[in-house]
């Protein structure tokens, strides 16, 4: 029983550690998705997937201008990169 509880706590902690950042800006201040994607493409990013995360940030999967795979979280209001993996 004790090992089951420990295992459950480890799984919960791992899930929380793997989650991305949380963005708190009101949605009315967010950059439009299409406009933001266009900005990223002008910077040389190739976007394979663009989404809004559970934490209300923009996230892209794709490649940078050096053709390196990227996963980046952005603040949807400012466009600032918050975290990359």
């Amino acid at each position: 029983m004790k090992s089951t509880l420990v295992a459950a706590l480890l799984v919960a902690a791992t899930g929380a550690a793997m989650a991305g950042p949380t963005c708190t800006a009101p949605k009315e201040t967010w950059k439009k998705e299409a406009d933001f994607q266009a900005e990223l493409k002008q910077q040389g990013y190739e976007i394979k997937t663009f989404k809004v995360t559970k934490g209300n940030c923009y996230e892209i999967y794709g490649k940078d201008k050096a053709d390196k795979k990227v996963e980046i979280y952005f603040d949807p209001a400012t466009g600032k990169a918050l975290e990359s993996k």
Side-chain angles (χ1 to χ4, degrees), residues 16-30:
M18 294 177 70
T22 300
C23 298
T24 58
K27 288 197 177 192
E28 60 270 8
T29 66
W30 290 15

Side-chain angles (χ1 to χ4, degrees), residues 16-85:
M18 294 177 70
T22 300
C23 298
T24 58
K27 288 197 177 192
E28 60 270 8
T29 66
W30 290 15
K31 294 181 176 225
K32 292 181 181 176
E33 290 183 27
D35 293 344
F36 185 60
Q37 288 182 60
E39 288 178 29
L40 293 174
K41 288 177 183 177
Q42 287 178 339
Q43 294 173 28
Y45 288 98
E46 179 184 318
I47 301 170
K48 182 175 180 179
T49 304
F50 180 93
K51 67 180 187 176
V52 176
T53 67
K54 290 180 182 179
N56 287 320
C57 299
Y58 286 158
E59 180 182 19
I60 67 162
Y61 294 87
K63 294 184 178 183
D64 64 13
K65 59 185 169 188
D67 206 35
K68 180 182 171 195
K69 286 186 178 183
V70 295
E71 175 185 349
I72 308 172
Y73 296 88
F74 296 92
D75 181 298
T78 65
K80 179 183 173 189
L82 301 172
E83 182 180 318
S84 61
K85 296 181 180 181

